[in-house]
Amino acid sequence: MQLSGLKKRSKRGIGGLWLVLPQSYQTAVARALSPHVKTFFAGIYKQVEYKHVVKSLPSSICCLTSVEEIIIENYTLTGDIPDVFGALKNLTILRLRSNSLTGALPSSLNLLSALQHLDLANNQLIGDFPALPNLNHLVTLSIGHNYFTGPVPTVFGNPLKLEFLHADHNLFSVLPASICQFTNLLVLHISKNAFSCEIPSGIWNLTAVICLEMSGCNMSGSLTGMGNLGNLQTLDASNNLFSGELPSREILNFQDLEALHLVGNRFSGGEILDMSQRDVKMTMCLDRDYQRTYVVREGFHKCYEEHGVIPYTGDFSGSESEDSEDE
């Protein structure tokens, strides 16, 4: 098999053409190109030419021992992820999002000690997410829109490295108290899971967080303490079972808060949240009756229907006609 031309074009990368080669050729090409290949990329536009081929991720990918990035997204990959990653010591990015991958995750992922970004979102992966104590450099974990169960993953080699955790739209049933160890976390997405538990108080210790989305998780408890998240820009805690007084003073103290979604909870009482004191408007929604009584309307943009409940949009006079015309 003639490899010289392919090798010349692949000093730094190899693409989707390799995936549609016969398996014996895949192995030969991978071994021949291994010292030269730093990036493996295959996207949907590469698949178009070979749309009659539905491929699984071949085990021969382990022969690309020098590869630093594997990016295969929107490629209709099917089947399990092979348990062959132990040889890929240089891999820093593994992105297999938006395919049709199934099964549980292979244990060899824990051998990717250089890995910084792991993206498996939008697949059909199942089972408990494994502990990954050897991943000391992980910055991004994106596993949303799968069928993972058990606790949200929190076992990594260096929790201080993690900045982005997207675990929304899964079947996770436990939000561990150890979530509080990610003190440099910037984004936490855990919406649409089946926690059915009280929110861990340690979540308010994630002081670096700028975006916290945890809607539709059947979580209960109080939001008192949210004021500790001084960098917060977006909070979506809608459609849960949160109760007690709304921490109005903490909300007013946020300097950068742009979106606050709290509709579909069980708040009661508390101080009036006078949003007219804010210099910059933000998007906000609460349940109609609570908003009518405890929130001054001016100072925020209304959030219509985003969470399945249309909040009260009038003022204290009870008239909504002028407000509706403005929209």
Side-chain angles (χ1 to χ4, degrees), residues 55-124:
K55 300 292 291 184
S56 58
L57 189 64
S59 59
S60 51
I61 201 166
C62 69
C63 298
L64 298 172
T65 53
S66 297
V67 72
E68 297 174 1
E69 302 177 2
I70 296 177
I71 301 172
I72 309 174
E73 53 188 9
N74 295 302
Y75 203 80
T76 64
L77 286 177
T78 61
D80 295 356
I81 299 174
D83 196 7
V84 294
F85 289 99
L88 306 184
K89 302 299 184 182
N90 299 311
L91 194 66
T92 60
I93 297 176
L94 177 58
R95 185 182 301 161
L96 303 175
R97 69 180 295 121
S98 300
N99 285 289
S100 298
L101 296 168
T102 56
L105 294 184
S107 59
S108 58
L109 286 178
N110 189 43
L111 301 177
L112 299 176
S113 56
L115 197 66
Q116 298 177 24
H117 305 281
L118 177 59
D119 187 350
L120 305 172
N122 298 308
N123 280 287
Q124 301 167 32

Side-chain angles (χ1 to χ4, degrees), residues 45-206:
Y45 65 89
K46 293 284 189 181
Q47 176 87 353
V48 171
E49 300 174 48
Y50 314 101
K51 59 185 177 182
H52 61 288
V53 180
V54 179
K55 300 292 291 184
S56 58
L57 189 64
S59 59
S60 51
I61 201 166
C62 69
C63 298
L64 298 172
T65 53
S66 297
V67 72
E68 297 174 1
E69 302 177 2
I70 296 177
I71 301 172
I72 309 174
E73 53 188 9
N74 295 302
Y75 203 80
T76 64
L77 286 177
T78 61
D80 295 356
I81 299 174
D83 196 7
V84 294
F85 289 99
L88 306 184
K89 302 299 184 182
N90 299 311
L91 194 66
T92 60
I93 297 176
L94 177 58
R95 185 182 301 161
L96 303 175
R97 69 180 295 121
S98 300
N99 285 289
S100 298
L101 296 168
T102 56
L105 294 184
S107 59
S108 58
L109 286 178
N110 189 43
L111 301 177
L112 299 176
S113 56
L115 197 66
Q116 298 177 24
H117 305 281
L118 177 59
D119 187 350
L120 305 172
N122 298 308
N123 280 287
Q124 301 167 32
L125 299 168
I126 63 172
D128 289 7
F129 196 91
L132 301 172
N134 291 330
L135 271 59
N136 293 309
H137 305 285
L138 194 65
V139 175
T140 302
L141 177 63
S142 183
I143 53 174
H145 294 267
N146 279 289
Y147 300 99
F148 290 118
T149 53
V152 171
T154 59
V155 180
F156 307 106
N158 186 352
L160 299 181
K161 285 284 187 179
L162 196 66
E163 296 181 3
F164 303 91
L165 175 53
H166 301 264
D168 54 293
H169 293 82
N170 275 284
L171 301 175
F172 289 120
S173 57
V174 178
L175 182 60
S178 53
I179 195 77
C180 67
Q181 68 185 316
F182 301 134
T183 52
N184 291 320
L185 198 66
L186 300 176
V187 174
L188 176 60
H189 290 176
I190 52 174
S191 296
K192 303 297 182 180
N193 281 290
F195 296 133
S196 299
C197 64
E198 187 166 331
I199 186 171
S201 58
I203 204 168
W204 308 128
N205 295 328
L206 303 178

